[in-house]
PDB file of all heavy atoms in Angstrom:
ATOM      1  N   GLY A  44      58.773 -69.184-131.610  1.00 98.00           N
ATOM      2  CA  GLY A  44      58.768 -67.855-131.002  1.00 98.00           C
ATOM      3  C   GLY A  44      59.408 -66.864-131.954  1.00 98.00           C
ATOM      4  O   GLY A  44      60.063 -67.262-132.919  1.00 98.00           O
ATOM      5  N   ILE A  45      59.219 -65.583-131.662  1.00 96.00           N
ATOM      6  CA  ILE A  45      59.877 -64.585-132.498  1.00 96.00           C
ATOM      7  C   ILE A  45      61.370 -64.595-132.148  1.00 96.00           C
ATOM      8  O   ILE A  45      61.770 -65.137-131.113  1.00 96.00           O
ATOM      9  CB  ILE A  45      59.255 -63.162-132.341  1.00 96.00           C
ATOM     10  CG1 ILE A  45      59.311 -62.668-130.903  1.00 96.00           C
ATOM     11  CG2 ILE A  45      57.825 -63.153-132.852  1.00 96.00           C
ATOM     12  CD1 ILE A  45      58.837 -61.210-130.753  1.00 96.00           C
ATOM     13  N   ASP A  46      62.176 -64.028-133.037  1.00 92.00           N
ATOM     14  CA  ASP A  46      63.619 -64.026-132.818  1.00 92.00           C
ATOM     15  C   ASP A  46      63.952 -63.401-131.453  1.00 92.00           C
ATOM     16  O   ASP A  46      63.323 -62.431-131.056  1.00 92.00           O
ATOM     17  CB  ASP A  46      64.311 -63.251-133.950  1.00 92.00           C
ATOM     18  CG  ASP A  46      63.949 -63.809-135.320  1.00 92.00           C
ATOM     19  OD1 ASP A  46      64.606 -64.737-135.765  1.00 92.00           O
ATOM     20  OD2 ASP A  46      62.952 -63.332-135.903  1.00 92.00           O
ATOM     21  N   PHE A  47      64.931 -63.975-130.769  1.00 92.00           N
ATOM     22  CA  PHE A  47      65.398 -63.504-129.451  1.00 92.00           C
ATOM     23  C   PHE A  47      64.407 -63.775-128.312  1.00 92.00           C
ATOM     24  O   PHE A  47      64.432 -63.100-127.292  1.00 92.00           O
ATOM     25  CB  PHE A  47      65.780 -62.004-129.480  1.00 92.00           C
ATOM     26  CG  PHE A  47      66.855 -61.714-130.485  1.00 92.00           C
ATOM     27  CD1 PHE A  47      66.540 -61.276-131.767  1.00 92.00           C
ATOM     28  CD2 PHE A  47      68.191 -61.923-130.162  1.00 92.00           C
ATOM     29  CE1 PHE A  47      67.533 -61.044-132.716  1.00 92.00           C
ATOM     30  CE2 PHE A  47      69.187 -61.691-131.104  1.00 92.00           C
ATOM     31  CZ  PHE A  47      68.860 -61.247-132.372  1.00 92.00           C
ATOM     32  N   LYS A  50      64.397 -69.311-127.004  1.00 96.00           N
ATOM     33  CA  LYS A  50      64.178 -70.733-127.331  1.00 96.00           C
ATOM     34  C   LYS A  50      65.410 -71.583-127.080  1.00 96.00           C
ATOM     35  O   LYS A  50      65.335 -72.651-126.488  1.00 96.00           O
ATOM     36  CB  LYS A  50      63.899 -70.897-128.829  1.00 96.00           C
ATOM     37  CG  LYS A  50      62.538 -70.621-129.296  1.00 96.00           C
ATOM     38  CD  LYS A  50      62.436 -70.901-130.800  1.00 96.00           C
ATOM     39  CE  LYS A  50      63.134 -69.910-131.677  1.00 96.00           C
ATOM     40  NZ  LYS A  50      64.296 -70.307-132.367  1.00 96.00           N
ATOM     41  N   SER A  51      66.540 -71.094-127.595  1.00 95.00           N
ATOM     42  CA  SER A  51      67.747 -71.931-127.587  1.00 95.00           C
ATOM     43  C   SER A  51      68.173 -72.282-126.166  1.00 95.00           C
ATOM     44  O   SER A  51      68.549 -73.424-125.892  1.00 95.00           O
ATOM     45  CB  SER A  51      68.891 -71.219-128.302  1.00 95.00           C
ATOM     46  OG  SER A  51      68.403 -70.674-129.491  1.00 95.00           O
ATOM     47  N   ARG A  72      67.676 -78.120-135.992  1.00 93.00           N
ATOM     48  CA  ARG A  72      67.247 -76.728-136.120  1.00 93.00           C
ATOM     49  C   ARG A  72      66.721 -76.473-137.532  1.00 93.00           C
ATOM     50  O   ARG A  72      67.130 -77.135-138.485  1.00 93.00           O
ATOM     51  CB  ARG A  72      68.390 -75.764-135.823  1.00 93.00           C
ATOM     52  CG  ARG A  72      69.450 -75.748-136.904  1.00 93.00           C
ATOM     53  CD  ARG A  72      70.274 -74.503-136.855  1.00 93.00           C
ATOM     54  NE  ARG A  72      71.351 -74.571-137.841  1.00 93.00           N
ATOM     55  CZ  ARG A  72      72.319 -73.700-137.911  1.00 93.00           C
ATOM     56  NH1 ARG A  72      72.376 -72.703-137.061  1.00 93.00           N
ATOM     57  NH2 ARG A  72      73.254 -73.794-138.840  1.00 93.00           N
ATOM     58  N   GLU A  73      65.819 -75.512-137.590  1.00 95.00           N
ATOM     59  CA  GLU A  73      65.239 -75.142-138.873  1.00 95.00           C
ATOM     60  C   GLU A  73      65.481 -73.667-139.144  1.00 95.00           C
ATOM     61  O   GLU A  73      65.346 -72.869-138.212  1.00 95.00           O
ATOM     62  CB  GLU A  73      63.729 -75.375-138.827  1.00 95.00           C
ATOM     63  CG  GLU A  73      63.344 -76.764-139.173  1.00 95.00           C
ATOM     64  CD  GLU A  73      62.118 -76.744-140.059  1.00 95.00           C
ATOM     65  OE1 GLU A  73      61.607 -75.670-140.404  1.00 95.00           O
ATOM     66  OE2 GLU A  73      61.677 -77.807-140.418  1.00 95.00           O
ATOM     67  N   PRO A  74      65.724 -73.264-140.359  1.00 91.00           N
ATOM     68  CA  PRO A  74      66.025 -74.159-141.469  1.00 91.00           C
ATOM     69  C   PRO A  74      67.392 -74.784-141.275  1.00 91.00           C
ATOM     70  O   PRO A  74      68.279 -74.133-140.741  1.00 91.00           O
ATOM     71  CB  PRO A  74      66.004 -73.222-142.682  1.00 91.00           C
ATOM     72  CG  PRO A  74      66.333 -71.877-142.131  1.00 91.00           C
ATOM     73  CD  PRO A  74      65.764 -71.852-140.758  1.00 91.00           C
ATOM     74  N   ARG A  84      69.457 -73.017-145.973  1.00 96.00           N
ATOM     75  CA  ARG A  84      69.495 -72.026-144.892  1.00 96.00           C
ATOM     76  C   ARG A  84      70.367 -70.820-145.270  1.00 96.00           C
ATOM     77  O   ARG A  84      69.989 -69.673-145.033  1.00 96.00           O
ATOM     78  CB  ARG A  84      70.044 -72.689-143.610  1.00 96.00           C
ATOM     79  CG  ARG A  84      70.228 -71.723-142.468  1.00 96.00           C
ATOM     80  CD  ARG A  84      70.922 -72.379-141.283  1.00 96.00           C
ATOM     81  NE  ARG A  84      71.132 -71.410-140.235  1.00 96.00           N
ATOM     82  CZ  ARG A  84      70.250 -71.129-139.289  1.00 96.00           C
ATOM     83  NH1 ARG A  84      69.106 -71.767-139.246  1.00 96.00           N
ATOM     84  NH2 ARG A  84      70.501 -70.215-138.392  1.00 96.00           N
ATOM     85  N   LEU A  88      69.007 -66.909-145.336  1.00 94.00           N
ATOM     86  CA  LEU A  88      69.407 -65.881-144.361  1.00 94.00           C
ATOM     87  C   LEU A  88      70.358 -64.841-144.952  1.00 94.00           C
ATOM     88  O   LEU A  88      70.614 -63.815-144.315  1.00 94.00           O
ATOM     89  CB  LEU A  88      70.028 -66.545-143.121  1.00 94.00           C
ATOM     90  CG  LEU A  88      69.100 -67.516-142.367  1.00 94.00           C
ATOM     91  CD1 LEU A  88      69.769 -68.046-141.105  1.00 94.00           C
ATOM     92  CD2 LEU A  88      67.765 -66.884-141.998  1.00 94.00           C
ATOM     93  N   GLU A 100      60.332 -67.735-150.452  1.00 97.00           N
ATOM     94  CA  GLU A 100      60.730 -67.979-149.067  1.00 97.00           C
ATOM     95  C   GLU A 100      59.982 -69.198-148.508  1.00 97.00           C
ATOM     96  O   GLU A 100      60.592 -70.103-147.927  1.00 97.00           O
ATOM     97  CB  GLU A 100      60.366 -66.731-148.256  1.00 97.00           C
ATOM     98  CG  GLU A 100      61.216 -66.494-147.049  1.00 97.00           C
ATOM     99  CD  GLU A 100      60.854 -65.177-146.388  1.00 97.00           C
ATOM    100  OE1 GLU A 100      59.870 -65.144-145.623  1.00 97.00           O
ATOM    101  OE2 GLU A 100      61.539 -64.172-146.645  1.00 97.00           O
ATOM    102  N   PHE A 104      61.891 -72.661-147.310  1.00 98.00           N
ATOM    103  CA  PHE A 104      61.774 -73.203-145.948  1.00 98.00           C
ATOM    104  C   PHE A 104      61.146 -74.596-146.003  1.00 98.00           C
ATOM    105  O   PHE A 104      61.558 -75.509-145.284  1.00 98.00           O
ATOM    106  CB  PHE A 104      60.904 -72.289-145.066  1.00 98.00           C
ATOM    107  CG  PHE A 104      61.643 -71.113-144.482  1.00 98.00           C
ATOM    108  CD1 PHE A 104      61.296 -69.807-144.820  1.00 98.00           C
ATOM    109  CD2 PHE A 104      62.685 -71.307-143.578  1.00 98.00           C
ATOM    110  CE1 PHE A 104      61.974 -68.716-144.275  1.00 98.00           C
ATOM    111  CE2 PHE A 104      63.365 -70.216-143.018  1.00 98.00           C
ATOM    112  CZ  PHE A 104      63.013 -68.926-143.374  1.00 98.00           C
ATOM    113  N   ARG A 108      62.588 -78.308-144.993  1.00 98.00           N
ATOM    114  CA  ARG A 108      61.830 -79.098-144.020  1.00 98.00           C
ATOM    115  C   ARG A 108      61.475 -80.483-144.566  1.00 98.00           C
ATOM    116  O   ARG A 108      61.539 -81.479-143.839  1.00 98.00           O
ATOM    117  CB  ARG A 108      60.555 -78.308-143.676  1.00 98.00           C
ATOM    118  CG  ARG A 108      59.669 -78.918-142.616  1.00 98.00           C
ATOM    119  CD  ARG A 108      58.613 -77.910-142.191  1.00 98.00           C
ATOM    120  NE  ARG A 108      59.228 -76.695-141.705  1.00 98.00           N
ATOM    121  CZ  ARG A 108      58.871 -75.463-142.099  1.00 98.00           C
ATOM    122  NH1 ARG A 108      57.881 -75.266-142.950  1.00 98.00           N
ATOM    123  NH2 ARG A 108      59.502 -74.414-141.618  1.00 98.00           N
ATOM    124  N   ASP A 129      64.237 -76.928-133.144  1.00 97.00           N
ATOM    125  CA  ASP A 129      64.263 -75.489-132.916  1.00 97.00           C
ATOM    126  C   ASP A 129      63.596 -74.869-134.147  1.00 97.00           C
ATOM    127  O   ASP A 129      64.235 -74.694-135.169  1.00 97.00           O
ATOM    128  CB  ASP A 129      65.726 -75.057-132.785  1.00 97.00           C
ATOM    129  CG  ASP A 129      65.873 -73.606-132.352  1.00 97.00           C
ATOM    130  OD1 ASP A 129      64.891 -72.852-132.464  1.00 97.00           O
ATOM    131  OD2 ASP A 129      66.982 -73.231-131.932  1.00 97.00           O
ATOM    132  N   ARG A 130      62.296 -74.630-134.042  1.00 97.00           N
ATOM    133  CA  ARG A 130      61.385 -74.205-135.105  1.00 97.00           C
ATOM    134  C   ARG A 130      60.941 -75.398-135.954  1.00 97.00           C
ATOM    135  O   ARG A 130      61.694 -76.322-136.183  1.00 97.00           O
ATOM    136  CB  ARG A 130      61.981 -73.149-136.049  1.00 97.00           C
ATOM    137  CG  ARG A 130      62.385 -71.866-135.358  1.00 97.00           C
ATOM    138  CD  ARG A 130      62.690 -70.770-136.375  1.00 97.00           C
ATOM    139  NE  ARG A 130      63.037 -69.532-135.708  1.00 97.00           N
ATOM    140  CZ  ARG A 130      62.144 -68.690-135.199  1.00 97.00           C
ATOM    141  NH1 ARG A 130      60.862 -68.936-135.323  1.00 97.00           N
ATOM    142  NH2 ARG A 130      62.524 -67.590-134.597  1.00 97.00           N
ATOM    143  N   PHE A 131      59.694 -75.330-136.437  1.00 98.00           N
ATOM    144  CA  PHE A 131      59.194 -76.320-137.403  1.00 98.00           C
ATOM    145  C   PHE A 131      58.121 -75.619-138.242  1.00 98.00           C
ATOM    146  O   PHE A 131      58.213 -74.397-138.430  1.00 98.00           O
ATOM    147  CB  PHE A 131      58.703 -77.581-136.652  1.00 98.00           C
ATOM    148  CG  PHE A 131      58.543 -78.778-137.556  1.00 98.00           C
ATOM    149  CD1 PHE A 131      59.610 -79.266-138.289  1.00 98.00           C
ATOM    150  CD2 PHE A 131      57.309 -79.416-137.693  1.00 98.00           C
ATOM    151  CE1 PHE A 131      59.460 -80.364-139.142  1.00 98.00           C
ATOM    152  CE2 PHE A 131      57.144 -80.520-138.532  1.00 98.00           C
ATOM    153  CZ  PHE A 131      58.224 -80.987-139.247  1.00 98.00           C
ATOM    154  N   HIS A 132      57.118 -76.377-138.715  1.00 98.00           N
ATOM    155  CA  HIS A 132      56.194 -75.786-139.699  1.00 98.00           C
ATOM    156  C   HIS A 132      55.433 -74.558-139.194  1.00 98.00           C
ATOM    157  O   HIS A 132      55.075 -73.690-139.986  1.00 98.00           O
ATOM    158  CB  HIS A 132      55.220 -76.842-140.217  1.00 98.00           C
ATOM    159  CG  HIS A 132      54.210 -77.301-139.213  1.00 98.00           C
ATOM    160  ND1 HIS A 132      54.529 -77.668-137.927  1.00 98.00           N
ATOM    161  CD2 HIS A 132      52.856 -77.431-139.312  1.00 98.00           C
ATOM    162  CE1 HIS A 132      53.430 -78.026-137.282  1.00 98.00           C
ATOM    163  NE2 HIS A 132      52.402 -77.887-138.107  1.00 98.00           N
ATOM    164  N   SER A 134      56.562 -72.086-137.783  1.00 98.00           N
ATOM    165  CA  SER A 134      57.334 -70.885-138.137  1.00 98.00           C
ATOM    166  C   SER A 134      56.905 -70.370-139.509  1.00 98.00           C
ATOM    167  O   SER A 134      56.815 -69.167-139.726  1.00 98.00           O
ATOM    168  CB  SER A 134      58.836 -71.179-138.188  1.00 98.00           C
ATOM    169  OG  SER A 134      59.392 -71.167-136.899  1.00 98.00           O
ATOM    170  N   SER A 135      56.656 -71.287-140.435  1.00 98.00           N
ATOM    171  CA  SER A 135      56.229 -70.836-141.773  1.00 98.00           C
ATOM    172  C   SER A 135      54.826 -70.253-141.739  1.00 98.00           C
ATOM    173  O   SER A 135      54.527 -69.292-142.447  1.00 98.00           O
ATOM    174  CB  SER A 135      56.263 -71.996-142.771  1.00 98.00           C
ATOM    175  OG  SER A 135      57.580 -72.271-143.138  1.00 98.00           O
ATOM    176  N   TYR A 138      55.560 -66.767-139.921  1.00 97.00           N
ATOM    177  CA  TYR A 138      56.394 -65.797-140.640  1.00 97.00           C
ATOM    178  C   TYR A 138      55.945 -65.580-142.096  1.00 97.00           C
ATOM    179  O   TYR A 138      55.775 -64.437-142.518  1.00 97.00           O
ATOM    180  CB  TYR A 138      57.867 -66.242-140.632  1.00 97.00           C
ATOM    181  CG  TYR A 138      58.612 -65.956-139.350  1.00 97.00           C
ATOM    182  CD1 TYR A 138      58.396 -66.723-138.204  1.00 97.00           C
ATOM    183  CD2 TYR A 138      59.546 -64.929-139.257  1.00 97.00           C
ATOM    184  CE1 TYR A 138      59.092 -66.480-137.024  1.00 97.00           C
ATOM    185  CE2 TYR A 138      60.250 -64.676-138.078  1.00 97.00           C
ATOM    186  CZ  TYR A 138      60.014 -65.449-136.968  1.00 97.00           C
ATOM    187  OH  TYR A 138      60.704 -65.203-135.811  1.00 97.00           O
ATOM    188  N   GLN A 139      55.790 -66.690-142.845  1.00 98.00           N
ATOM    189  CA  GLN A 139      55.428 -66.500-144.258  1.00 98.00           C
ATOM    190  C   GLN A 139      53.928 -66.260-144.419  1.00 98.00           C
ATOM    191  O   GLN A 139      53.501 -65.515-145.293  1.00 98.00           O
ATOM    192  CB  GLN A 139      55.873 -67.713-145.104  1.00 98.00           C
ATOM    193  CG  GLN A 139      57.360 -67.749-145.428  1.00 98.00           C
ATOM    194  CD  GLN A 139      58.252 -67.916-144.218  1.00 98.00           C
ATOM    195  OE1 GLN A 139      58.102 -68.853-143.452  1.00 98.00           O
ATOM    196  NE2 GLN A 139      59.183 -66.988-144.016  1.00 98.00           N
ATOM    197  N   ASP A 189      70.542 -61.056-139.692  1.00 79.00           N
ATOM    198  CA  ASP A 189      70.357 -61.772-140.946  1.00 79.00           C
ATOM    199  C   ASP A 189      69.179 -61.175-141.717  1.00 79.00           C
ATOM    200  O   ASP A 189      68.504 -60.271-141.240  1.00 79.00           O
ATOM    201  CB  ASP A 189      70.249 -63.292-140.727  1.00 79.00           C
ATOM    202  CG  ASP A 189      68.996 -63.696-139.968  1.00 79.00           C
ATOM    203  OD1 ASP A 189      67.927 -63.119-140.245  1.00 79.00           O
ATOM    204  OD2 ASP A 189      69.093 -64.589-139.107  1.00 79.00           O
ATOM    205  N   ILE A 191      66.172 -62.043-142.425  1.00 74.00           N
ATOM    206  CA  ILE A 191      64.827 -62.030-141.847  1.00 74.00           C
ATOM    207  C   ILE A 191      64.763 -61.118-140.622  1.00 74.00           C
ATOM    208  O   ILE A 191      63.790 -60.391-140.417  1.00 74.00           O
ATOM    209  CB  ILE A 191      64.379 -63.473-141.564  1.00 74.00           C
ATOM    210  CG1 ILE A 191      64.245 -64.153-142.929  1.00 74.00           C
ATOM    211  CG2 ILE A 191      63.063 -63.515-140.767  1.00 74.00           C
ATOM    212  CD1 ILE A 191      63.777 -65.540-142.956  1.00 74.00           C
ATOM    213  N   GLU A 192      65.846 -61.096-139.848  1.00 77.00           N
ATOM    214  CA  GLU A 192      65.862 -60.246-138.647  1.00 77.00           C
ATOM    215  C   GLU A 192      65.814 -58.748-138.986  1.00 77.00           C
ATOM    216  O   GLU A 192      65.563 -57.930-138.108  1.00 77.00           O
ATOM    217  CB  GLU A 192      67.107 -60.545-137.805  1.00 77.00           C
ATOM    218  CG  GLU A 192      67.018 -61.882-137.075  1.00 77.00           C
ATOM    219  CD  GLU A 192      68.366 -62.345-136.527  1.00 77.00           C
ATOM    220  OE1 GLU A 192      69.392 -61.707-136.820  1.00 77.00           O
ATOM    221  OE2 GLU A 192      68.367 -63.364-135.839  1.00 77.00           O
ATOM    222  N   TYR A 199      57.052 -58.152-137.111  1.00 94.00           N
ATOM    223  CA  TYR A 199      57.146 -59.012-135.920  1.00 94.00           C
ATOM    224  C   TYR A 199      55.851 -59.037-135.117  1.00 94.00           C
ATOM    225  O   TYR A 199      55.513 -60.043-134.501  1.00 94.00           O
ATOM    226  CB  TYR A 199      58.345 -58.617-135.050  1.00 94.00           C
ATOM    227  CG  TYR A 199      59.607 -59.233-135.597  1.00 94.00           C
ATOM    228  CD1 TYR A 199      60.544 -58.481-136.282  1.00 94.00           C
ATOM    229  CD2 TYR A 199      59.817 -60.601-135.473  1.00 94.00           C
ATOM    230  CE1 TYR A 199      61.679 -59.058-136.821  1.00 94.00           C
ATOM    231  CE2 TYR A 199      60.945 -61.200-136.007  1.00 94.00           C
ATOM    232  CZ  TYR A 199      61.877 -60.424-136.675  1.00 94.00           C
ATOM    233  OH  TYR A 199      62.980 -61.029-137.202  1.00 94.00           O
TER     234      TYR A 199
HETATM  235  P1  TYD B  73      67.758 -68.480-136.930  1.00 96.88           P
HETATM  236  O1  TYD B  73      69.070 -67.778-136.910  1.00 96.88           O
HETATM  237  O2  TYD B  73      67.744 -69.957-136.778  1.00 96.88           O
HETATM  238  O3  TYD B  73      66.824 -67.774-135.872  1.00 96.88           O
HETATM  239  P2  TYD B  73      66.311 -68.242-134.469  1.00 96.88           P
HETATM  240  O4  TYD B  73      67.543 -68.562-133.669  1.00 96.88           O
HETATM  241  O5  TYD B  73      65.550 -67.058-133.984  1.00 96.88           O
HETATM  242  O6  TYD B  73      65.430 -69.430-134.690  1.00 96.88           O
HETATM  243  O7  TYD B  73      67.046 -68.038-138.266  1.00 96.88           O
HETATM  244  C1  TYD B  73      65.839 -68.512-138.652  1.00 96.88           C
HETATM  245  C2  TYD B  73      65.057 -67.342-139.192  1.00 96.88           C
HETATM  246  O8  TYD B  73      64.150 -67.809-140.184  1.00 96.88           O
HETATM  247  C3  TYD B  73      64.211 -66.700-138.113  1.00 96.88           C
HETATM  248  O9  TYD B  73      64.206 -65.290-138.326  1.00 96.88           O
HETATM  249  C4  TYD B  73      62.826 -67.230-138.380  1.00 96.88           C
HETATM  250  C5  TYD B  73      62.825 -67.475-139.843  1.00 96.88           C
HETATM  251  N1  TYD B  73      61.947 -68.587-140.295  1.00 96.88           N
HETATM  252  C6  TYD B  73      60.882 -68.327-141.135  1.00 96.88           C
HETATM  253  O10 TYD B  73      60.633 -67.176-141.515  1.00 96.88           O
HETATM  254  N2  TYD B  73      60.096 -69.373-141.573  1.00 96.88           N
HETATM  255  C7  TYD B  73      60.342 -70.669-141.227  1.00 96.88           C
HETATM  256  O11 TYD B  73      59.615 -71.589-141.638  1.00 96.88           O
HETATM  257  C8  TYD B  73      61.466 -70.923-140.352  1.00 96.88           C
HETATM  258  C9  TYD B  73      61.799 -72.323-139.932  1.00 96.88           C
HETATM  259  C10 TYD B  73      62.240 -69.859-139.912  1.00 96.88           C
END
Side-chain angles (χ1 to χ4, degrees):
I45 58 174
D46 304 273
F47 302 95
K50 279 183 288 110
S51 315
R72 71 160 175 189
E73 274 221 1
R84 175 187 177 88
L88 300 184
E100 208 175 82
F104 278 116
R108 184 169 302 131
D129 188 343
R130 300 192 178 280
F131 196 58
H132 70 312
S134 279
S135 284
Y138 281 75
Q139 283 65 55
D189 66 41
I191 294 182
E192 287 166 353
Y199 278 105

